[in-house]
């Protein structure tokens, strides 16, 4: 158990809908990262938040947005869903802060999104 | 752009048959190279972090090594429970802490 929790575990929805994925980081971690894992592309970085502020963006679609709340949990919002958005979505957390050496990112169990 | 290439894509070994997985990378200023293990439908499980060329780390039957261009994950006398996908990732550039992942090596250990 990494200490990172994600809900829900599975989500099945229809095209055009909007969903919210939730992540709680490990105790003491200030950085939260979201990654998407699809069969054909592997793990792709979407966005990072550090202590409530957006810190880095990857190839995140404009239909996707995220935020980190004062209690450090994060939510990833996916809207106008398309069939191609079906994937595993992982949250990871780390101490963060941009230290000279990379700190370890610990991953949650993921949310499997199926868009029908 | 940071790139990570893992080989082979898949590897089948008999129980007890040692081998190595390769991860070659191209980054500007490596801050860290990570190895994770991922079981089907689960989140990646952290194994090792390597920071500089020449560094080695061990855990049970696994040993990770790092050079300036690649990393190896050596597995010694594997057991069926070592079957999983092994992912390599790099973090580069101070200020951007994203991980760039390879596509993984799917390892199967046959009893």
């Amino acid at each position: 158990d990494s200490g990172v929790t994600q809900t829900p575990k599975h989500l099945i929805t229809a095209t055009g809908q909007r969903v919210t994925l939730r992540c709680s980081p490990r105790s003491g971690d200030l950085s939260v990262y979201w990654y998407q894992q699809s069969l054909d592309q592997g793990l792709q970085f979407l966005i990072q938040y550090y202590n409530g502020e957006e810190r880095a963006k990857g190839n995140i679609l404009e239909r996707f947005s995220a935020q980190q709340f004062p209690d450090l949990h994060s939510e990833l919002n996916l809207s106008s869903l398309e069939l191609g958005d079906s994937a595993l979505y992982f949250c990871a957390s780390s101490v963060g802060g941009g230290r000279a050496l990379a700190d370890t990112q610990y991953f949650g169990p993921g949310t499997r999104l199926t868009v029908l | 752009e940071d790139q990570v290439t893992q080989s082979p894509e898949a590897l089948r070994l008999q129980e007890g048959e040692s081998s190595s997985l390769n991860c070659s990378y191209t980054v500007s200023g490596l801050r860290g190279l990570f190895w994770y293990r991922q079981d089907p439908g689960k989140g990646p499980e952290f194994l090792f972090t390597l920071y500089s060329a020449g560094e080695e780390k061990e855990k049970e039957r696994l040993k990770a090594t790092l050079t300036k261009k690649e990393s190896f994950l050596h597995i010694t006398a594997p057991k069926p429970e070592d079957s999983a996908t092994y992912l390599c990732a790099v973090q580069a550039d101070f200020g951007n802490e994203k991980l760039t992942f390879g596509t993984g090596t799917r390892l199967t250990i046959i009893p």
Side-chain angles (χ1 to χ4, degrees), chain A residues 73-88:
Chain A
H73 91 270
S74 178
E75 292 181 357
L76 179 67
N77 300 296
L78 315 177
S79 62
S80 303
L81 285 167
E82 302 176 358
L83 295 177
D85 297 327
S86 295
L88 273 165

Side-chain angles (χ1 to χ4, degrees), chain A residues 31 33 35 37 43 45 48 55-56 88 90 96-109 112, chain B residues 31-32 34 36 38 40-46 49 51 87 91 94-103:
Chain A
S31 269
Y33 311 78
Y35 292 85
Q37 187 174 41
L43 270 159
F45 169 73
Q48 177 199 358
R55 187 170 176 92
L88 273 165
F90 291 105
R99 298 177 297 176
L101 290 179
D103 55 352
T104 299
Q105 293 181 23
Y106 293 91
F107 283 76
R112 181 177 293 279
Chain B
R31 293 180 65 212
F34 299 82
Y36 289 86
Q38 186 175 27
K42 303 284 181 68
E45 176 189 343
F46 171 71
T49 309
Y51 295 106
L87 299 168
Q91 188 183 97
F94 185 85
N96 185 340
E97 294 151 281
K98 71 170 187 178
L99 292 179
T100 299
F101 280 87
T103 50

